Amino acid sequence: MILSAVDFRITGDEDMVIRDYLVHEFPFRVNLDREMEKISMLRPDEWERHFLKNMDDFYDDATEEERKHLIAFAIKLAKADNVITREENHFLNLLFENWEPENS
């Protein structure tokens, strides 16, 4: 969800991409409002650390297929408003750089 917030706006299209991903990929219900509240409590300079921690936690618990789905979701989310900002690109690159097979 940080990926959708790094450009300081969340569009309806981005919200739909998030909800669709959660419905199809998570076996349990995720409270989006509570998750957005957690993110809104972070300062922008804390986003990357939070993102990296959650990215690492997900990597440790996910299968390779689930990681591929998350990357596809992240790309779709960044493209949802038809603009990939510098900040969104930075966070996408964090995924690619840290999840390369030789780094796993």
Side-chain angles (χ1 to χ4, degrees):
M1 293 182 71
I2 284 179
L3 186 57
S4 67
V6 295
D7 60 1
F8 297 99
R9 59 186 163 83
I10 300 173
T11 67
D13 291 335
E14 290 171 324
D15 183 65
M16 291 304 298
V17 170
I18 292 168
R19 290 177 190 280
D20 183 59
Y21 174 78
L22 292 175
V23 165
H24 290 96
E25 296 295 327
F26 281 82
F28 52 88
R29 186 176 179 280
V30 176
N31 185 321
L32 289 178
D33 292 332
R34 186 176 56 228
E35 295 305 314
M36 280 309 292
E37 185 177 331
K38 288 179 190 176
I39 291 170
S40 70
M41 300 297 274
L42 298 172
R43 294 184 319 268
D45 65 331
E46 296 173 313
W47 287 350
E48 186 170 324
R49 182 177 60 238
H50 182 79
F51 183 83
L52 289 169
K53 182 198 178 310
N54 284 280
M55 184 182 73
D56 289 344
D57 290 346
F58 184 89
Y59 187 92
D60 290 342
D61 294 336
T63 65
E64 181 178 347
E65 192 67 23
E66 289 168 329
R67 290 189 293 271
K68 287 179 183 178
H69 287 178
L70 181 75
I71 289 174
F73 156 72
I75 293 167
K76 186 175 179 180
L77 179 60
K79 293 167 68 174
D81 62 358
N82 296 315
V83 176
I84 298 177
T85 65
R86 182 177 52 84
E87 295 83 8
E88 289 168 329
N89 191 58
H90 172 72
F91 280 83
L92 287 173
N93 284 332
L94 289 173
L95 277 173
F96 288 113
E97 292 165 3
N98 287 282
W99 285 9
E100 289 179 359
E102 61 269 10
N103 291 336
S104 55

